[in-house]
Amino acid sequence: MALSSCICQSSLKRPGLFTVGMSAANIVPGDGEDVEPAVAQLELISFEALRSGNPAESVKLFHVCCRDGIFYLDMLGSEPDVLEAVEDIYELEQKMFDLPEDELMLYDIDKLSPRKLNGYKPIGRNYGELAGNRDGFESYALPKDGIMNLGREANFKRPQVVDTYMPSLDRFARAISAAASAILLALSCNLMLQSNDNLTNFHRTHLPSPDLIRLLKYHAQPLSERGSSHVPHTDLGSMTFLFTKRPGLQIVGSESQEWEYVPPRAGCATVNIGDCLSLLTNKLLRSCRHRVCALPGQSMNERYSFAYFLRAEDETPMRAVKSPLVSKSERDEEEVFTSGEWMKMKYAMLRKDTWNQHNSWILTGA
């Protein structure tokens, strides 16, 4: 199958929250003024169509992942229950970040979890673009294995407030895992992978893995201190399923190569491809570079979001799969690192105390 046969020709225009101005090609934090923000026109993918094996939807997904590396996933038609769980998790994160900081610091992620799968990160710990090279968000990670009672994370340490929401977290994690499996199967089909290289083999829900749910609170910034709350980066895992009700996410557009805002869309997850799938396909699947910042001419408002981070199992070798569409990587001739090793490299670059200019390429993918 030639790559062109997997590509749909139309690029659907999707309604957003803003009007796009042609003059808004390059919006950066600190630009103000009365420039209309550039808005990404993401494709909409139906989870129900993927799950039912719709070939046109499968091809469309493959094209979007190669070209854009990001899309809206419609969960409404196939997983209405998950949207109830989503609302519960919004409620949980409000309560979580209302806890006193000294209580949250009892669950310091850098002390509690060597693989950083469980615990609290205070504002300012990561390298960022605000004053003092700090970030503008706090976060709390909840391990998939703990939520599903798997492996060594089964009895993970956590604030008591989490226990009330464990049924919703479990329902959410299983629904997202099902959606991820449908996406991985469709991508594997389009890549014409043999069974031993099927992407689902590296992401088995019933086995321990480094997947997690991360709760995020972005702090308000005055207009005089505008900047990117989250440094431009690609995600270290395979896919990210983001849920939020407020704008602020920006991506580098595949065609414009400029920053474009991604409005949230009701009933949908915003899904982006991460480094692992990009590495496994020698960059055929696009790991999407993104950041979070205020809209032009506005201060940064307080913003809550949360995401499910799908990651390959720790021992997955980060070498190109055998596909007629995937060229061989120079890395395949060198010592190949694993998914777990890549995670450690990436986290070292995200933390302010261990960031260094020489390895800054790690922030935006291999």
Side-chain angles (χ1 to χ4, degrees):
M1 182 188 299
L3 178 59
S4 60
S5 67
C6 293
I7 297 178
C8 60
Q9 298 300 315
S10 62
S11 178
L12 303 179
K13 298 298 182 181
R14 300 295 176 187
L17 299 180
F18 317 111
T19 302
V20 182
M22 294 300 291
S23 62
N26 189 18
I27 307 297
V28 296
D31 283 352
E33 322 47 31
D34 298 318
V35 178
E36 292 179 343
V39 180
Q41 302 293 329
L42 301 190
E43 299 276 12
L44 179 66
I45 300 295
S46 166
F47 175 26
E48 182 60 32
L50 289 179
R51 187 161 61 176
S52 65
N54 184 299
E57 198 74 0
S58 174
V59 169
K60 178 182 174 184
L61 169 73
F62 182 65
H63 167 47
V64 168
C65 290
C66 291
R67 185 192 66 193
D68 302 327
I70 186 168
F71 55 90
Y72 293 123
L73 182 68
D74 181 6
M75 305 287 292
L76 203 55
S78 54
E79 292 287 342
D81 289 348
V82 76
L83 298 181
E84 294 179 13
V86 165
E87 291 303 318
D88 289 343
I89 298 172
Y90 280 130
E91 186 177 284
L92 166 61
E93 64 179 351
Q94 292 271 353
K95 292 181 179 180
M96 178 73 82
F97 294 121
D98 280 346
L99 294 174
E101 185 174 12
D102 58 353
E103 181 176 347
L104 287 168
M105 288 302 293
L106 296 174
Y107 307 93
D108 187 329
I109 192 169
D110 288 350
K111 297 177 181 178
L112 194 63
S113 176
R115 297 194 299 162
K116 306 192 190 304
L117 303 181
N118 176 37
Y120 174 69
K121 182 206 79 72
I123 188 172
R125 180 173 289 180
N126 279 9
Y127 181 80
E129 295 187 338
L130 300 180
N133 291 328
R134 60 183 177 85
D135 68 78
F137 69 96
E138 55 185 316
S139 67
Y140 202 102
L142 298 164
K144 180 269 287 184
D145 291 355
I147 292 167
M148 293 187 180
N149 201 30
L150 297 171
R152 57 186 170 182
E153 298 286 351
N155 297 309
F156 69 104
K157 188 177 179 181
R158 58 191 182 269
Q160 188 174 357
V161 66
V162 175
D163 292 344
T164 304
Y165 295 91
M166 283 293 279
S168 294
L169 289 166
D170 182 80
R171 193 162 71 250
F172 173 78
R174 293 182 188 278
I176 297 300
S177 295
S181 293
I183 293 169
L184 292 171
L185 279 171
L187 293 175
S188 297
C189 177
N190 282 275
L191 288 165
M192 294 180 286
L193 299 180
Q194 299 297 316
S195 58
N196 61 322
D197 264 344
N198 192 297
L199 297 173
T200 59
N201 293 343
F202 312 127
H203 306 83
R204 294 171 290 183
T205 303
H206 65 286
L207 294 180
S209 74
D211 293 10
L212 60 84
I213 297 171
R214 179 169 288 131
L215 314 178
L216 295 142
K217 178 184 177 182
Y218 292 88
H219 286 233
Q221 303 166 20
L223 194 58
S224 59
E225 297 180 13
R226 285 172 52 86
S228 176
S229 295
H230 205 155
V231 68
H233 66 286
T234 54
D235 288 337
L236 60 84
S238 296
M239 282 187 286
T240 302
F241 295 74
L242 175 70
F243 293 83
T244 186
K245 297 179 180 180
R246 299 191 65 91
L249 174 66
Q250 280 189 314
I251 64 168
V252 175
S254 58
E255 296 181 1
S256 70
Q257 291 300 302
E258 307 287 1
W259 287 109
E260 300 171 354
Y261 283 92
V262 178
R265 182 166 179 147
C268 296
T270 303
V271 183
N272 66 270
I273 299 298
D275 295 339
C276 280
L277 287 186
S278 181
L279 288 165
L280 287 169
T281 59
N282 196 18
K283 299 188 178 181
L284 179 63
L285 301 180
R286 182 173 185 256
S287 188
C288 179
R289 184 153 54 109
H290 54 283
R291 67 183 183 186
V292 173
C293 60
L295 298 176
Q298 299 182 26
S299 58
M300 182 73 181
N301 294 319
E302 187 175 82
R303 179 181 185 269
Y304 288 88
S305 65
F306 65 91
Y308 187 99
F309 291 86
L310 180 82
R311 294 166 171 177
E313 295 163 30
D314 282 342
E315 298 307 313
T316 303
M318 294 290 96
R319 65 161 64 94
V321 293
K322 294 179 180 178
S323 162
L325 304 182
V326 176
S327 60
K328 193 171 183 179
S329 170
E330 293 180 3
R331 186 178 292 104
D332 294 344
E333 305 297 331
E334 304 168 359
E335 183 177 355
V336 176
F337 53 81
T338 65
S339 172
E341 290 167 340
W342 175 249
M343 285 173 56
K344 292 177 183 177
M345 293 164 62
K346 192 88 166 188
Y347 272 123
M349 284 305 301
L350 287 168
R351 290 292 189 258
K352 187 168 63 175
D353 291 346
T354 52
W355 179 89
N356 69 80
Q357 181 67 40
H358 178 69
N359 289 329
S360 59
W361 61 270
I362 294 174
L363 280 174
T364 52

Tab-separated table of all heavy atoms in Angstrom, residues 21 23-27 31-38 295-297:
chain	number	residue	atom	x	y	z
A	21	GLY	N	-7.735	35.264	11.930
A	21	GLY	CA	-7.293	36.369	11.087
A	21	GLY	C	-6.040	35.992	10.331
A	21	GLY	O	-5.137	35.396	10.892
A	23	SER	N	-3.675	37.756	9.481
A	23	SER	CA	-2.506	38.473	9.973
A	23	SER	C	-1.954	37.878	11.257
A	23	SER	O	-0.934	38.321	11.757
A	23	SER	CB	-2.869	39.940	10.238
A	23	SER	OG	-3.871	40.018	11.239
A	24	ALA	N	-2.625	36.862	11.794
A	24	ALA	CA	-2.236	36.329	13.098
A	24	ALA	C	-1.346	35.115	12.974
A	24	ALA	O	-1.429	34.183	13.738
A	24	ALA	CB	-3.496	35.971	13.891
A	25	ALA	N	-0.452	35.135	12.000
A	25	ALA	CA	0.310	33.928	11.701
A	25	ALA	C	1.244	33.510	12.819
A	25	ALA	O	1.513	32.344	12.985
A	25	ALA	CB	1.114	34.135	10.425
A	26	ASN	N	1.749	34.466	13.583
A	26	ASN	CA	2.746	34.097	14.583
A	26	ASN	C	2.444	34.800	15.896
A	26	ASN	O	2.869	35.907	16.121
A	26	ASN	CB	4.148	34.464	14.101
A	26	ASN	CG	5.223	33.897	15.009
A	26	ASN	OD1	4.964	32.993	15.784
A	26	ASN	ND2	6.411	34.443	14.892
A	27	ILE	N	1.665	34.142	16.756
A	27	ILE	CA	1.309	34.706	18.056
A	27	ILE	C	2.273	34.159	19.094
A	27	ILE	O	2.453	32.964	19.213
A	27	ILE	CB	-0.132	34.310	18.444
A	27	ILE	CG1	-1.107	34.669	17.336
A	27	ILE	CG2	-0.533	34.943	19.751
A	27	ILE	CD1	-1.201	36.138	17.041
A	31	ASP	N	2.868	39.285	22.792
A	31	ASP	CA	2.285	40.036	21.689
A	31	ASP	C	0.959	40.561	22.185
A	31	ASP	O	0.220	39.868	22.794
A	31	ASP	CB	2.008	39.129	20.496
A	31	ASP	CG	3.275	38.824	19.758
A	31	ASP	OD1	4.275	39.428	20.102
A	31	ASP	OD2	3.250	37.987	18.860
A	32	GLY	N	0.521	41.674	21.925
A	32	GLY	CA	-0.767	42.013	22.444
A	32	GLY	C	-1.521	42.666	21.458
A	32	GLY	O	-1.201	42.845	20.481
A	33	GLU	N	-2.160	42.943	21.931
A	33	GLU	CA	-2.694	43.899	21.143
A	33	GLU	C	-3.923	43.361	20.583
A	33	GLU	O	-4.487	42.534	21.232
A	33	GLU	CB	-1.501	44.141	20.354
A	33	GLU	CG	-0.127	44.083	21.223
A	33	GLU	CD	0.184	43.010	22.185
A	33	GLU	OE1	-0.136	41.962	22.127
A	33	GLU	OE2	0.755	43.209	23.090
A	34	ASP	N	-4.294	43.801	19.484
A	34	ASP	CA	-5.618	43.483	18.996
A	34	ASP	C	-5.537	42.475	17.857
A	34	ASP	O	-6.326	42.535	16.955
A	34	ASP	CB	-6.293	44.769	18.540
A	34	ASP	CG	-6.447	45.732	19.684
A	34	ASP	OD1	-6.803	45.282	20.755
A	34	ASP	OD2	-6.199	46.900	19.509
A	35	VAL	N	-4.502	41.651	17.897
A	35	VAL	CA	-4.339	40.638	16.859
A	35	VAL	C	-5.278	39.477	17.127
A	35	VAL	O	-5.393	39.000	18.238
A	35	VAL	CB	-2.885	40.138	16.844
A	35	VAL	CG1	-2.695	39.048	15.799
A	35	VAL	CG2	-1.929	41.286	16.585
A	36	GLU	N	-5.973	39.054	16.076
A	36	GLU	CA	-6.827	37.875	16.225
A	36	GLU	C	-5.953	36.634	16.293
A	36	GLU	O	-5.033	36.479	15.494
A	36	GLU	CB	-7.789	37.765	15.037
A	36	GLU	CG	-8.833	38.868	14.994
A	36	GLU	CD	-9.748	38.724	13.786
A	36	GLU	OE1	-9.375	37.992	12.848
A	36	GLU	OE2	-10.824	39.330	13.792
A	37	PRO	N	-6.208	35.720	17.226
A	37	PRO	CA	-5.354	34.541	17.337
A	37	PRO	C	-5.537	33.565	16.188
A	37	PRO	O	-6.650	33.381	15.690
A	37	PRO	CB	-5.803	33.908	18.665
A	37	PRO	CG	-7.208	34.390	18.852
A	37	PRO	CD	-7.269	35.762	18.240
A	38	ALA	N	-4.451	32.945	15.768
A	38	ALA	CA	-4.528	31.881	14.766
A	38	ALA	C	-5.061	30.629	15.440
A	38	ALA	O	-4.601	30.252	16.521
A	38	ALA	CB	-3.152	31.623	14.166
A	295	LEU	N	-4.265	34.023	25.801
A	295	LEU	CA	-4.654	34.563	24.499
A	295	LEU	C	-4.025	35.939	24.299
A	295	LEU	O	-3.723	36.640	25.272
A	295	LEU	CB	-6.177	34.661	24.407
A	295	LEU	CG	-6.944	33.343	24.503
A	295	LEU	CD1	-8.444	33.606	24.486
A	295	LEU	CD2	-6.564	32.409	23.367
A	296	PRO	N	-3.821	36.368	23.058
A	296	PRO	CA	-3.197	37.665	22.794
A	296	PRO	C	-3.942	38.809	23.483
A	296	PRO	O	-5.174	38.876	23.451
A	296	PRO	CB	-3.282	37.796	21.269
A	296	PRO	CG	-3.376	36.403	20.771
A	296	PRO	CD	-4.149	35.652	21.804
A	297	GLY	N	-3.173	39.683	24.129
A	297	GLY	CA	-3.753	40.858	24.754
A	297	GLY	C	-4.502	40.576	26.033
A	297	GLY	O	-5.130	41.474	26.598
